[in-house]
Amino acid sequence: MAAISLDPGLSLKHIGKDDTQNPSAVIEEIEGLIRVYKDGDVERPQIVPFVTSALSLELGVTSKDVVIDKFTNIWARFYVPNVCHGKLPLLVYFHGGGFCVGSAAWSCYHEFLASLSAKVNCLIMSVNYRLAPENPLPAAYEDGLRTLIWLKQQALRGNSEWWSRLCDFSKIFLAGDSAGANIAHNVATRVGSNRGIEAMALKPLSLKGNILIQPFFGGEVRTHSENYMVQSPRSALSLAASDTYWRLALPVGANRDHSWCNPLSKGSSKLEDIRLLPALVCISEMDILKDRNLEFCTALNRAGKRVEYVMYKGVGHAFQVLSTTQLSQTRALEMVAHIKAFISR
């Protein structure tokens, strides 16, 4: 799911030094989502059901879980359409959750990605990466790169797996929502650094594009939408929750102008110097991240990168996986159509 914090009942705590003498004291909390203790323990209430890979037959999709790295416990859930005509592109998808919560086994992602696989007619690999604060950034980015290396190994082995027989390894797309979109961007940035050396090392994989849904970026200076966006009673992301996620995810001593959080900060690599993938950016009109997402698209365009964005009217952050309103369902179908068009080019 995206970087969520569900209201009402949202309670955020950032405890000062005077309150942390007790090892069992809570030092960070987003009520209902995550609680971090001074001694390092972390609790994550099960706000969203975890489900197995089983799917209804009428969906026309087969889903199974695969281990990527048993030592770090990285795994992925694959979605494969039952009826295929030739080999299909593969979407490597990273779930949201502020880098701190979420799972490829969450029911909302399972349902959304199964539907996406069937309607777009593509394979989807939903990656379950390591979470902060136990594994702060760049752990999630490293897991994304490790996933691509694992995919390369599968491609070199040929059609040895049930899903690989249907996979076109020359058409790989990185995708994700919220923090997952941040991961997709930063993985693509690493692959695009060093003048394409990293990309060459992934052959025979060929990365074709980046699909960024409500990408989770930040910065020390607030945008207009961060300051003034009117939040719905059950907003999927508040500014306070966003700040808490970044405190937990970024390296010790880093602020929100770190390049992983703010790709447009002075300390970030110039976009002109990086070989970036063509990008589709999906933005929600009622999202506090709206202005930051628009600024990101403008910067990509000015740097000569191929980018297109779509604004989804009347909906907020993570509507495609969290909201069941008629408007959200309509907008989600529009998003699926835009993703299908982007992949089909």
Side-chain angles (χ1 to χ4, degrees):
M1 153 142 74
I4 65 170
S5 59
L6 299 180
D7 288 331
L10 174 65
S11 174
L12 296 117
K13 296 180 181 178
H14 181 47
I15 312 300
K17 292 182 179 179
D18 293 342
D19 302 312
T20 59
Q21 300 305 314
N22 182 356
S24 62
V26 176
I27 57 173
E28 295 278 9
E29 180 177 10
I30 305 176
E31 188 173 350
L33 285 168
I34 189 169
R35 182 181 293 119
V36 182
Y37 295 89
K38 187 177 185 244
D39 62 7
D41 284 347
V42 180
E43 292 179 359
R44 294 180 178 87
Q46 191 174 330
I47 192 172
V48 179
F50 286 75
V51 295
T52 68
S53 60
L55 286 168
S56 301
L57 291 176
E58 58 265 25
L59 286 175
V61 174
T62 298
S63 177
K64 293 181 182 178
D65 295 342
V66 176
V67 175
I68 304 300
D69 188 326
K70 64 181 180 181
F71 297 106
T72 54
N73 197 31
I74 306 169
W75 57 274
R77 180 163 293 182
F78 276 86
Y79 299 86
V80 180
N82 293 337
V83 178
C84 306
H85 300 289
K87 296 199 172 187
L88 302 178
L90 172 66
L91 218 68
V92 180
Y93 195 94
F94 302 97
H95 67 78
F99 305 103
C100 298
V101 299
S103 170
W106 270 9
S107 59
C108 56
Y109 279 112
H110 188 55
E111 295 161 6
F112 173 68
L113 295 178
S115 175
L116 185 66
S117 174
K119 291 174 180 175
V120 175
N121 196 32
C122 68
L123 279 64
I124 296 180
M125 178 187 190
S126 179
V127 182
N128 203 74
Y129 53 87
R130 290 173 293 170
L131 299 176
E134 302 95 324
N135 302 282
L137 296 174
Y141 306 149
E142 292 168 351
D143 293 350
L145 288 170
R146 188 175 291 112
T147 297
L148 293 181
I149 293 171
W150 181 86
L151 274 176
K152 170 186 175 177
Q153 294 169 346
Q154 304 308 306
L156 292 174
R157 289 176 184 172
N159 300 329
S160 59
E161 299 295 331
W162 64 279
W163 58 270
S164 64
R165 292 189 291 271
L166 301 171
C167 182
D168 185 347
F169 288 100
S170 69
K171 292 183 179 179
I172 308 292
F173 293 83
L174 301 180
D177 65 286
S178 196
N182 178 296
I183 295 170
H185 168 71
N186 276 285
V187 169
T189 297
R190 291 195 179 193
V191 172
S193 300
N194 301 319
R195 298 184 178 179
I197 295 175
E198 296 267 5
M200 290 296 294
L202 290 175
K203 295 293 185 182
L205 300 187
S206 181
L207 303 182
K208 295 299 186 183
N210 231 358
I211 300 169
L212 309 179
I213 303 172
Q214 304 135 357
F216 186 44
F217 296 130
E220 287 298 304
V221 178
R222 305 296 194 189
T223 65
H224 185 273
S225 61
E226 286 172 342
N227 276 327
Y228 300 108
M229 180 66 67
V230 176
Q231 297 295 291
S232 66
R234 294 185 62 81
S235 172
L237 181 66
S238 70
L239 190 58
S242 174
D243 289 351
T244 302
Y245 284 131
W246 283 119
R247 283 196 300 271
L248 294 176
L250 286 170
V252 175
N255 65 20
R256 292 190 305 274
D257 279 334
H258 192 288
S259 60
W260 295 335
C261 176
N262 186 358
L264 307 184
S265 67
K266 292 181 179 179
S268 300
S269 299
K270 292 184 178 181
L271 295 175
E272 294 87 342
D273 299 334
I274 306 171
R275 293 163 59 101
L276 290 177
L277 300 170
L280 169 65
V281 182
C282 301
I283 304 172
S284 294
E285 184 186 32
M286 308 307 293
D287 187 356
I288 63 169
L289 299 178
K290 179 185 72 171
D291 289 347
R292 206 166 285 282
N293 290 171
L294 287 171
E295 290 173 358
F296 175 70
C297 293
T298 299
L300 287 178
N301 186 58
R302 287 177 178 170
K305 309 303 178 183
R306 293 171 56 190
V307 58
E308 59 185 276
Y309 74 86
V310 183
M311 180 76 70
Y312 297 94
K313 301 288 187 179
V315 289
H317 195 77
F319 73 89
Q320 73 283 353
V321 290
L322 285 180
S323 179
T324 58
T325 67
Q326 185 60 53
L327 177 61
S328 292
Q329 291 175 7
T330 299
R331 295 291 181 260
L333 290 175
E334 293 171 1
M335 178 183 289
V336 169
H338 293 140
I339 292 173
K340 183 175 183 177
F342 183 75
I343 290 177
S344 301
R345 289 177 189 152

